[in-house]
Amino acid sequence: MQLKNTIVLAVAAFFMAVSCISSDKSVGDNLIPDNQGLLVKAAEFPLPVQLKSSQPLQSLSTTEFTFGAIRTREHGLVEFSTAANICPNMSGWNLGKDIQIKEVYFLSNVSQVFVPDNQQKGIPQSITLHRTHKVIDTTTVYNNTFTEADYDSEPLNLGEAIYLGGDSLKVYLKKSFAEELFTATQQERDTLPLFIKRFKGILIKSSVPEEGVYGGRQNFMEYGTGTIYISVNFQPTWAEGLVRKDTIFAVNFGSEMCLNISTYESKGNQTDAPGQLMNIEGAAGIKPYISKEDLKHAIDTWKSKEGLEGKNIIIAKGSLIFPFEIPENMDMTKYPATMYPCNREFDSTYNGNIFYPVADVNMPGFNVGTINRSLKEYRMDIPSIIQDFVSKDASELDDLTHNLWIMPTKSETNSYYGNITYNIDMNTYFLGTINGPAAERHPTLQIVYSVMEE
């Protein structure tokens, strides 16, 4: 027992001795250069915002088609249509001889619809299909690169097709269309690109709400679900004495990609000086826009006011804040779930300038513009872009990289690796109202920065 007490006392004495050791936190202070001291500060100032059309927007898609029309009091009429190449679902097909067409129809699943008013989900829309005059490929990348001159004005419809917003779309077509397809040469039957080159594709359009009538519907079909079915009776020729045979021949709507086309009357609502509210649209409609000249001027004014000209400023965090007010009816379903600054880059694949989210969207822990209903704001972190505006001369800022559009985005999670990527939502039409520069809670830029003292 005495030995045990001795050990306890010895251990206690050791820890008492250790606890009495003092640490001099100034040790090494003289080794830090005088010009390397950091001052960490925060700043917030109004964000210069305009409203500007986001046309032309890339709208080639391998995931969905969209068609329909919506008229709003704020933005007027927006129309959606989709064009895609057609091709048989197999090459080298042979239907013998003396082919007789029984019926032809287009059928596709409708995956979802968007309506500005839920009571309009079942409104009637007249749907027409038209032959296109050109192949859909990477040269037709933008929503406005397909015009009336690129398709036949005469519909392929056999009678009127009324769509009421259900889960499928079916349109009966003229037999003459199928008869033309069966004139394909053996080489065109064996080589699908040759078939596409000759027969091109189909455009799907919708009727529009009458002038003065507001509302409408945008419809979505998953890519690959659209098919033209041709019911035929023919004489087989691959053996003697065979009786005539009935079959259904399928032609795919969509080969590799489709082009979602959209037109907008809202371009007249563009303004350099929005007021207390900004009405925003999805797809290629009008968006909050920040010009590099305006943002550079705002940042240089702040630097001058704080006496920071010529200083080496390091941006730790740079956030764009876009407030909004909850609508009286509490309906936030029309607002985009995520918005993020996007700029244009030249893409050699499409030989055009394409919108992409600013690269900071992929940084872990950054705010990516997810709607916050509690704080009533969208918050977007873009420190690398803000660093450019702080550090670079105005002549070093370029139109593609530093002009910013605030655009709806959507995320995709890789099922194998679990990583998340963000892309522009090119097709969904949103209707939202956010606060403008004249509002009490206006868009702001918040930064956290350090100054390298000399």
Side-chain angles (χ1 to χ4, degrees), residues 27 35 172 200 222 283 419 433:
V27 173
N35 67 345
Y172 285 93
K200 310 297 190 297
E222 291 183 7
N419 58 304
T433 302

Side-chain angles (χ1 to χ4, degrees), residues 71-143:
R71 190 189 300 278
T72 66
R73 289 179 172 83
E74 299 85 0
H75 301 304
L77 180 66
V78 55
E79 295 183 67
F80 298 94
S81 55
T82 187
N85 302 324
I86 59 171
C87 66
N89 59 6
M90 66 181 74
S91 61
W93 46 276
N94 182 2
L95 293 183
K97 65 179 183 179
D98 190 23
I99 300 174
Q100 297 178 9
I101 311 298
K102 300 174 68 176
E103 66 175 5
V104 187
Y105 59 91
F106 171 84
L107 181 65
S108 179
N109 295 331
V110 177
S111 56
Q112 60 175 319
V113 299
F114 169 81
V115 289
D117 184 343
N118 287 331
Q119 295 182 353
Q120 296 186 333
K121 282 188 175 181
I123 62 172
Q125 291 175 316
S126 178
I127 309 300
T128 55
L129 273 60
H130 304 258
R131 294 287 298 275
T132 67
H133 298 319
K134 66 179 182 181
V135 173
I136 304 302
D137 56 25
T138 55
T139 64
T140 51
V141 61
Y142 298 121
N143 70 290

Side-chain angles (χ1 to χ4, degrees), residues 42-61:
E44 179 176 358
F45 46 89
L47 188 64
V49 184
Q50 304 176 27
L51 277 178
K52 188 172 181 178
S53 167
S54 50
Q55 293 197 78
L57 175 69
Q58 70 267 23
S59 56
L60 282 176
S61 178

Side-chain angles (χ1 to χ4, degrees), residues 254-439:
S255 174
E256 296 185 2
M257 64 190 74
C258 68
L259 177 68
N260 289 313
I261 306 150
S262 53
T263 61
Y264 305 80
E265 291 185 346
S266 59
K267 198 168 184 179
N269 294 339
Q270 296 182 113
T271 176
D272 294 341
Q276 291 194 358
L277 297 175
M278 295 188 293
N279 292 310
I280 59 173
E281 295 179 289
I286 58 173
K287 308 283 193 310
Y289 168 75
I290 305 168
S291 75
K292 62 183 179 65
E293 292 83 6
D294 289 349
L295 185 54
K296 179 61 176 172
H297 176 73
I299 288 177
D300 285 351
T301 300
W302 162 72
K303 289 171 63 177
S304 175
K305 182 179 179 180
E306 297 296 322
L308 296 175
E309 298 105 319
K311 298 289 186 179
N312 187 8
I313 302 172
I314 300 173
I315 298 298
K317 190 171 186 178
S319 304
L320 307 184
I321 315 298
F322 284 85
F324 59 85
E325 308 302 330
I326 302 294
E328 291 183 3
N329 62 3
M330 304 294 289
D331 183 9
M332 297 294 296
T333 60
K334 311 302 185 295
Y335 282 62
T338 307
M339 293 199 300
Y340 198 75
C342 299
N343 53 23
R344 281 190 166 114
E345 298 178 15
F346 180 79
D347 193 308
S348 58
T349 300
Y350 303 105
N351 194 34
N353 296 328
I354 307 300
F355 280 109
Y356 293 100
V358 170
D360 288 338
V361 74
N362 296 310
M363 295 298 294
F366 278 19
N367 292 301
V368 294
T370 303
I371 189 171
N372 188 318
R373 292 176 175 81
S374 298
L375 298 178
K376 297 186 291 186
E377 67 180 23
Y378 292 90
R379 180 178 292 263
M380 315 153 195
D381 294 341
I382 54 166
S384 66
I385 291 291
I386 301 303
Q387 183 69 63
D388 282 352
F389 280 93
V390 168
S391 304
K392 294 183 176 181
D393 185 77
S395 61
E396 300 177 88
L397 305 176
D398 66 87
D399 289 341
L400 291 183
T401 304
H402 297 100
N403 286 325
L404 303 175
W405 280 260
I406 309 303
M407 305 183 75
T409 59
K410 55 185 178 182
S411 61
E412 297 179 2
T413 303
N414 185 293
S415 59
Y416 185 80
Y417 295 102
N419 58 304
I420 300 175
T421 57
Y422 292 86
N423 300 296
I424 291 170
D425 189 339
M426 302 177 293
N427 301 317
T428 308
Y429 190 67
F430 294 106
L431 291 166
T433 302
I434 61 177
N435 293 1

